[in-house]
Amino acid sequence: MKRRDLFKTAIGLTAGFSVLRPLYAADDWEFRGPDVPNVPITKISDRTFYFLATDPEPSPSNFGFFSNPAFVVTSEGVVVIDTGGSVQIGEMLIRQIKTVTDKPVVAVFNTHIHGDHWLGNHAFVEAYPDVKLYAHPKVMEDVRNGAGVVWTGFMSRNTNNASAGTVITPPTLEVNEGDVIKVGDVQFKVHHMGKVHSDSDIAIEAVEEKVIFLGDMAMRRVANMADGNFKNSIVAMENFEAMSHIKYFVPGHGEFDDVSMIRDQKQFFEIIYNTIEEQYDNGLSDFEIRPMIVETEFMQTVAKEWPGFDSTIGRFVSEAYQEFEASLF
């Protein structure tokens, strides 16, 4: 009997969960965090820009700025993709956007539930009360279930309270797979591929610009897959790779690139998941499989250079192992 079949006959699986209780909540602030220094704008195309975060994690020194907000200038106004992890970061983005255009911000897309991509909404609603905030419906559901409080606590603890004063300001307008939001002379097409990095991921394609904003579904970084799915990530990369009309892929962390970034991310996930699938029936544990994965040529020559590889690859292997095991039921 194969090990996976033996596992199926086991007496059962007990699933549980725990809720992280944050140390801080938005309405508890007695002071406001400092202003965030201006981050340079990187031009992608004539009307498309992003803010490159050079640090892989939030810290007091970077004021919590560790993801890549972006924006597109349309004939009607500015569309922002992700707003950063605090009101201070959002305010910095607004200051910098105004150096490019005097048009107002008319719409915001939040790519998923992780707070470094949407807690900056607070600043945009204050500056532009009529701004439209779009996200997958699961984002709003998760905020109602407490994710906003968890993420404000996370940002506070990791920045020595630099994000103090941020009010949880969730998106209010739902978008899903295939939706097209036209803003002036630019169409923004929504791509939702199920649970990839999270269950609320959307990629935003600026159709006329041939640019797609990926959120955290693809990047050259080893960070967090606790809320994601490895097998679905492989399928998502195949879908992105098939978008031959896209010129630039913009990740939520790290530098933008062409389709080569998608191919690298796909190979990274395939090596992890496929090696686990191959070795599981040999009775090997995740701990025993990890060296096999790390020692592959791709991991040694490519992925090992990505931020977070040494500290996080073990957790990735463990999470993929658990995912594969769960798929057997």
Side-chain angles (χ1 to χ4, degrees):
M1 178 183 292
K2 287 187 174 183
R3 184 171 181 248
R4 68 181 68 179
D5 295 325
L6 179 63
F7 195 87
K8 288 180 181 179
T9 65
I11 59 175
L13 179 68
T14 302
F17 65 92
S18 61
V19 177
L20 174 64
R21 186 178 182 87
L23 298 181
Y24 309 99
D27 57 359
D28 290 334
W29 301 123
E30 296 180 357
F31 64 97
R32 193 183 189 282
D35 290 343
V36 173
N38 290 341
V39 174
I41 296 172
T42 300
K43 186 174 183 179
I44 300 170
S45 65
D46 286 345
R47 300 189 294 175
T48 307
F49 308 83
Y50 83 126
F51 298 81
L52 174 62
T54 57
D55 295 335
E57 303 291 342
S59 69
S61 62
N62 63 28
F63 302 87
F65 184 82
F66 72 108
S67 62
N68 297 339
F71 66 98
V72 180
V73 181
T74 79
S75 59
E76 182 179 318
V78 178
V79 175
V80 172
I81 297 89
D82 287 339
T83 58
S86 70
V87 64
Q88 292 86 352
I89 292 172
E91 289 168 348
M92 180 274 292
L93 302 179
I94 292 169
R95 290 197 306 270
Q96 290 293 76
I97 290 170
K98 287 179 178 179
T99 68
V100 173
T101 178
D102 58 1
K103 292 179 179 179
V105 176
V106 295
V108 167
F109 289 94
N110 298 138
T111 59
H112 60 294
I113 186 57
H114 296 159
D116 54 310
H117 297 265
W118 66 271
L119 286 172
N121 287 0
H122 174 185
F124 286 86
V125 169
E126 281 198 340
Y128 305 101
D130 296 327
V131 67
K132 296 179 178 178
L133 304 178
Y134 296 98
H136 188 270
K138 193 75 171 82
V139 172
M140 285 74 107
E141 178 186 336
D142 288 345
V143 174
R144 287 193 297 269
N145 289 334
V149 176
V150 171
W151 275 99
T152 54
F154 172 84
M155 294 302 296
S156 174
R157 291 191 300 275
N158 285 279
T159 64
N160 194 24
N161 294 345
S163 60
T166 300
V167 176
I168 296 169
T169 309
T172 56
L173 299 172
E174 297 182 357
V175 289
N176 216 317
E177 165 61 27
D179 288 350
V180 177
I181 307 297
K182 193 171 189 298
V183 182
D185 54 352
V186 180
Q187 299 177 85
F188 295 88
K189 186 174 182 180
V190 177
H191 299 273
H192 174 66
M193 303 179 188
K195 186 177 183 180
V196 182
H197 176 73
S198 72
D199 59 5
S200 56
D201 297 310
I202 54 173
I204 307 300
E205 177 185 349
V207 177
E208 288 76 11
E209 299 299 294
K210 301 183 188 311
V211 175
I212 190 165
F213 303 92
L214 300 166
D216 286 358
M217 285 188 275
M219 65 187 88
R220 290 191 173 103
R221 176 174 179 251
V222 184
N224 176 21
M225 277 292 287
D227 298 329
N229 184 281
F230 286 82
K231 196 167 186 180
N232 289 352
S233 292
I234 295 169
V235 174
M237 296 311 110
E238 292 171 348
N239 292 338
F240 288 132
E241 189 176 10
M243 296 179 184
S244 57
H245 60 289
I246 297 294
K247 187 174 182 180
Y248 298 121
F249 295 82
V250 185
H253 302 269
E255 297 182 2
F256 79 99
D257 205 346
D258 58 19
V259 71
S260 64
M261 180 177 63
I262 300 299
R263 291 171 179 154
D264 281 352
Q265 184 74 101
K266 177 186 172 187
Q267 190 169 355
F268 176 76
F269 284 128
E270 283 179 334
I271 289 171
I272 293 174
Y273 198 83
N274 293 346
T275 304
I276 289 169
E277 187 172 25
E278 291 165 3
Q279 297 300 326
Y280 186 86
D281 282 333
N282 293 330
L284 299 185
S285 67
D286 53 353
F287 180 78
E288 294 167 312
I289 295 172
R290 178 186 180 278
M292 298 180 180
I293 291 171
V294 170
E295 290 165 11
T296 62
E297 182 180 359
F298 176 83
M299 294 295 184
Q300 286 296 310
T301 61
V302 179
K304 195 169 178 59
E305 301 301 315
W306 297 351
F309 181 87
D310 290 331
S311 61
T312 312
I313 188 64
R315 187 167 74 239
F316 263 52
V317 173
S318 178
E319 290 165 348
Y321 191 94
Q322 293 173 49
E323 178 185 316
F324 176 75
E325 222 168 40
S327 75
L328 303 178
F329 289 86

